[in-house]
Amino acid sequence: MSEKFSPTLRIGDLSDFIAPSQNCVVSLKKARFKNPDKPQVSTSSKQQTEPVKISLKDCLACSGCITSAETVMLEKQSLDEFLSNINEGKAVIVSLSPQSRASLAAHYDISPLQVFKKLTTFLKSLGVKAVFDTSCSRDIALIETCNEFITRYKQSQESDEERSKASLPMLSSACPGWICYAEKQLGSYILPYISSVKSPQQAIGATIKHHICQKLGLRPDEIYHVTVMPCYDKKLEAARDDFVFPLESHEVLCEDEGPRIAEVDSVLTSGEVLDLIQRQAPLDRILTNVDEEGHLYGVPGSSGGYAETVFTYAAKELFGRVIEGQLNFKTIRNSDFRELALEVEGKSVLKFALCYGFQNLQNIVRKVKMRKCDYHFVEVMACPSGCLNGGGQIKPKPGQSPKDLIKTLETIYMENVLVADPFKNPLVKSLYDEWLGQPGSEKAKRLMHTEYHPVVKSITSQLHNW
């Protein structure tokens, strides 16, 4: 394990849902091969004299393992690199997730708002320029998801039967562990069902690098953007080629494509910033869900509130039903698989589900493959109990069971948080007015949506897995 990576991650902390293959295909890509497209595979260990270096992007392209990729340490995804960019005078911006905020609050037995203030103070004392809140970008992601669902639902009501089948159920796309699994193991038959909306992490990355940088008087390449997340898979997500863009002001010379800018330069987990909380300072209001009275605001739902928000919005837009108060999801198989339906004139017109953990999501995948899935929308998360139970969260205290910690986190997550409609968020409204136009606009689709791709397995990897 790299010495430059944070010591919070240990091999024993990982709980892979699929065992790694016997060999990683990347280890076969040696510079000495005459034809890099057709490497001559050798089983001799003597020929490999130097350690193989694998980047996070390689791991997303590898078909041999999935969450085992979390053991690959890329130096730029570390605390050392984070501090190095501060020392070099880069404009470092940090975006904090509400799940990480809850994890730190539970550990220190303080409120999420205190965590926010203390973390902001300490980061700024180190030289960080701004600290933002991904609850704001989550509202953008939720609005875009609502818009996409309405479009798909209306398409499903058209006469073209084949087109109807390809539209629903719509599967959420905010969990990179789920996306990684879908691209590598499920391929093209499942990908059309997955929402194209970027996760809140990448949505805030696009907002900062394409819009907020102008407000700050900076170029995108002058900003080093770091997110604090509950999950190690978020490091893999940030490294995807889909989430980098060319610097517009760069003039392309010859065959040089010019510099490419990442929406998120680095990801730190909750555990990696555990020791950074000390004092308080004013919060940055540009991308932070805090009102004038100092209250946090957001949506319920510890994994982002996708099912809750889309269900409420669709019920009103499609059927004129205004739903107020907490939604009552019905537990089906276990607490990680719940469903909710809307009935109009005795007929079920909307059917949603929460699906957490790979045991449950594979049942959904199987039904989708057989075209027997009757859900319109499924919020999919790879981790049991959702994002609050992410691998990057702070571990239970001595004598505290994981189950008790999850209950504590679920309570703290919404502590002092005012429930607010994303469509009425003044910050998000201004971002649409100034920058994106309207939900589902061409600019919103270009910057807040993405594509997913089936990963073609190498013959070697397939043989190893077989």
Side-chain angles (χ1 to χ4, degrees), residues 1-11 52-54 70-81 272:
M1 186 173 294
S2 171
E3 293 180 355
K4 291 190 176 183
F5 197 82
S6 169
T8 59
L9 176 61
R10 293 289 179 268
I11 300 297
V52 177
K53 293 184 178 180
I54 308 172
E70 293 166 347
T71 65
V72 179
M73 306 310 167
L74 191 64
E75 289 182 359
K76 68 187 250 181
Q77 294 280 355
S78 67
L79 282 171
D80 284 348
E81 184 71 10
E272 287 175 293

Side-chain angles (χ1 to χ4, degrees), residues 106-122:
H107 181 81
Y108 283 108
D109 196 22
I110 59 177
S111 73
L113 187 57
Q114 284 178 301
V115 167
F116 206 173
K117 290 181 177 180
K118 289 178 181 292
L119 187 57
T120 297
T121 297
F122 187 72

